[in-house]
Amino acid sequence: MTNGSVQSRRPTRKAWTLECLLHERAIVLGFTLTKSTSASYDSAVASYIQFCRLHNVSLTPTLDTLSFYIVWMSTYILPLSVDSYFSGICNKLEEEFTEIRKVRHSCLVQRTLAGCKHRLNHPVRRKQPLSRNDLHIAFSHYHMSADHDDILFLAQLYFGFETLQRLGKLVWPDATQLPSYNVVPMRHTVHVDDNSASYILPVSKTDKFGHGNQVLVRHTSYEDDCMKIFSDYVKSRNTAFPHYPELWLRTNGSIPMRSWFTSRFQHIFANVSVDTPFKQVEQQLSCSQVSLLICVTNSDSSSVTTPIKEGQVYGIK
């Protein structure tokens, strides 16, 4: 039994005003979604509102409204995309319509979506992946260059390949409203030793606690050793920008943009022989579509902290 005469060791805490509580709560709610995710959710909600206005129906999500929306929208985009749209619609509208998630998971809505997937879906079309031999083309082109931007591009290309990163983790988006320093890797998190090189990848959708993920490459005997390429970039970056906090920096001191990377990417492979697998990708490539994607043939090698193994490839989405 607790002795009432014993003084509590609990520290003294001050009461906050209601304005302070509201202010702080608004700030933390702003960290719930990244800017890019929020923009995607806004687009999904806009399509739902458009459907309701065109068909003169209430925005209230009923069984009929959601099932009709699925049928209508599936004629314009893939049913799989319609399914993902519901994540954004529910997230943005559940505060106003508290039953929306229950309606979404109702039998009628789920069966309508399943039927659209069977009737209207198309085979998955993926870009031709890059092999290590294709990647060596960029190495042959840039590895003797002393230009900082060339060193940066090569380092991002190889490090993204080895650590299974999408392009969005390495560069900033071109849309001016989307960049956020919450996802920018910082120089002080870099660690390089004799056997490996790593840095901390900031928060992502899979990082629920905001600790970030360590991405790491190990030393290899390859001529185009990713660890050496990355170390060369870090040396060049530290010489040019010793007081800047960001890890990835161009010659002008700015964070590289998606369009900067994709333009160089296209330039490198523009004159590759048609027999090279990448040429099939280049013929389908556009700056608005390109994003780096790792296609892993080993199903158990999905962690960003695990170096790539033989048989894994790096490609374009």
Side-chain angles (χ1 to χ4, degrees), residues 256-277:
M257 307 293 286
R258 176 181 290 270
S259 58
W260 172 85
F261 188 97
T262 54
S263 63
R264 279 177 167 261
F265 193 90
Q266 292 176 343
H267 174 73
I268 286 298
F269 296 98
N271 298 319
V272 177
S273 169
V274 177
D275 295 332
T276 302

Side-chain angles (χ1 to χ4, degrees), residues 5 35 37 49 75 80 89 92 99 130 135 142 154 180 194 199 205 213 220 223 225 228 240 250-251 255:
S5 63
K35 290 184 178 180
T37 301
I49 294 175
T75 61
L80 286 174
I89 293 172
K92 294 292 185 177
E99 297 294 318
L130 286 176
L135 205 66
Y142 282 127
L154 196 64
S180 170
D194 293 337
Y199 67 85
K205 294 179 182 178
N213 297 308
T220 68
E223 177 189 10
D225 177 28
K228 182 180 184 304
R250 292 185 55 194
T251 302
I255 297 175

